[in-house]
Every structure is written in structure tokens, then in C-alpha cells.
Amino acid sequence: MIPLPMAGVFCALFGLCVGSFLNVVIARIPAGRSIAHPGSACPLCGVAIRWYDNLPVLSYIMLGGRCRACHAPISWRYPVVELICGALFAAAYLRFGPGTQLVATLVLLSTLIAITGIDVDHQIIPDVLSIPGIALGLLASLAPGAIGLRDSVLGTLLGGGVFIVIIVASAIVLGQPGMGVGDVKLGAMLGAFLGWKLVLLSILLSVLIGGPLAATLLATGRKGRKDPLPFGPFLAAGGVISLFCGDAVLAWYFAQFAA
């Protein structure tokens, strides 16, 4: 048996490597490019990145955040994505331990990170990530100790249905949809993995996180009323919080009525 702290370190290192791959996913999927071929290259000069310049976080530091060939700056997003992925993978192992639930959790976290990066850059949530994510969430619910298919299906319907109601209501009242169809599929994916209770909590948390930020951006003039503001990152954040802390939050909330 590997000691728990050491296993957490291994998971963090694995997460850094997965984060490096997710950077490729974030950059290439919106452009319709293959995530497998060709290998990584500098987007400015086109020189292939050698393996020792492609080490997660470490290479960025050693190169001073610049391409070795042309010295063009490398976006800070690359090490940030790697670090976030590494930290979440380690936290997932420490929270859930080894087993099928950990595998499902790592798949969900990876997908949410990729969706967040793409939605921030392009204001889209690709079907190629969300729809397979729904199927994987439903499949993961069948594993021993998982939430069960009934809870997963209900979570899928509620997670997507809430946003369908918002879209229809906004179209009727405001004359334009308040959400994108990608948010519907992301909500459904979260519901498939988390179940109906935690997906509703995820949506509530996403509103509590995103609402004040949106109001601040509008008040400071950094965003106009008609400027797009991606909701996917807030929903992903709500999903991550619910994944790690949702059961405790719900237990505390319902305990207030029993007190």
C-alpha cells in the first residue's frame, strides 16, 4: 500500500501531465484540429516543441515563459491549467481514495477544466466534450457504491431542464435566450455525474459565484449589457464545489430544519 500523502503526490504529478494535454484540447478543439497529430509546436514560429521543453510547469519556468526558438511569450494559461489540474487530482484522491469513484471524478474534473478554458476563450461548450460526458456520467453511475442510474438520469434531466426553462423564459420575456444550448448540455453532464441533488446545488452555487462577478463587470463598465459572459466556468466551479463538499453542505442545510 502506498502511503496516502505519497499517493496524493503521484496523483498531482499525473494531473500536471493531464493538464498539459488539456491545454492541447483547449487550443485545438475550437479550431477543429486533431488533438493527437501533429505534435505541439510554437503557434508563432511553428517550431516543434521538444519533450524537455514540454514538461508541465517546469519547462515554462526554465524557459522564462518564452519559446526557445523565437522567444515569443507563452501564455500564462498553460501552467495555470496544469497546476489547477494537478491540485484537483490530488484533492480528488485525498477525498475519495482509490476506486471507480476516483476514476469517474478525474474524468469529470478533466472535462470541466477543458470546457472552462474553451468557454472563456470562445464562449462555446463543444458537443464533443459535453455529450460523451453525459454518457460517461450515466455509465459511471452503475459502478458499485455510485449514485445509481435512477439518480443519474434524474440529475441529467434536471440539470439540463433548468437551463431549458431559463432559455424559454428569457426568450419570452426579453426576446432573446439568456443561456446557450451548451449550458443545457453542461448542466445535463453534471447531473449525470453528481445526481439530482448535487446538480441543483451546483446551479445555485454557480449563480451565487457568477452573479456578483457579472454585476461588478457591468458596474465598472468592463462589460456591456449585450456583451457575452460565459456561464460555463461558473457552472463548472459550482460542480467542483458540489463534488467535494456538496454532501456536507446539504447535510448542514437540512440539519437547520431539524434543529
Side-chain angles (χ1 to χ4, degrees), residues 10-255:
F10 287 152
C11 269
L13 294 175
F14 177 58
L16 290 175
C17 296
V18 172
S20 180
F21 171 71
L22 293 179
N23 277 316
V24 176
V25 172
I26 292 168
R28 295 190 182 185
I29 282 184
R33 298 168 57 201
S34 169
I35 61 175
H37 301 285
S40 298
C42 174
L44 186 62
C45 68
V47 172
I49 299 176
R50 299 176 182 179
W51 69 268
Y52 50 79
D53 286 338
N54 209 21
L55 301 175
V57 181
L58 184 61
S59 291
Y60 183 88
I61 296 172
M62 294 177 65
L63 291 170
R66 293 186 175 274
C67 171
R68 183 184 294 275
C70 68
H71 305 292
I74 302 171
S75 173
W76 56 266
R77 187 196 72 197
Y78 290 92
V80 168
V81 168
E82 292 162 356
L83 287 170
I84 290 174
C85 192
L88 288 177
F89 272 38
Y93 184 86
L94 297 175
R95 172 67 175 82
F96 300 107
T100 54
Q101 185 175 8
L102 176 63
V103 175
T105 297
L106 298 186
V107 170
L108 175 59
L109 291 173
S110 299
T111 307
L112 291 178
I113 291 171
I115 285 175
T116 296
I118 293 172
D119 203 16
V120 168
D121 287 347
H122 303 280
Q123 287 77 57
I124 59 171
I125 298 176
D127 290 347
V128 70
L129 294 177
S130 59
I131 293 179
I134 295 172
L136 289 173
L138 292 170
L139 182 62
S141 72
L142 299 174
I147 60 175
L149 184 60
R150 180 180 178 181
D151 198 358
S152 181
V153 170
L154 187 55
T156 301
L157 296 175
L158 280 176
V162 167
F163 292 103
I164 291 175
V165 170
I166 293 174
I167 290 173
V168 172
S170 297
I172 294 174
V173 176
L174 303 176
Q176 60 182 11
M179 294 283 181
V181 177
D183 296 314
V184 175
K185 297 167 187 173
L186 177 55
M189 187 189 80
L190 283 174
F193 275 98
L194 301 179
W196 70 272
K197 293 179 182 177
L198 291 185
V199 77
L200 292 178
L201 177 62
S202 300
I203 295 171
L204 174 61
L205 291 172
S206 67
V207 173
L208 294 176
I209 297 169
L213 179 57
T216 300
L217 292 174
L218 288 171
T220 57
R222 297 184 64 181
K223 287 284 186 180
R225 292 184 178 275
K226 295 185 177 181
D227 291 335
L229 182 64
F231 189 70
F234 303 121
L235 186 54
V240 170
I241 295 171
S242 296
L243 174 67
F244 286 104
C245 309
D247 290 332
V249 171
L250 291 178
W252 171 85
Y253 176 78
F254 289 115

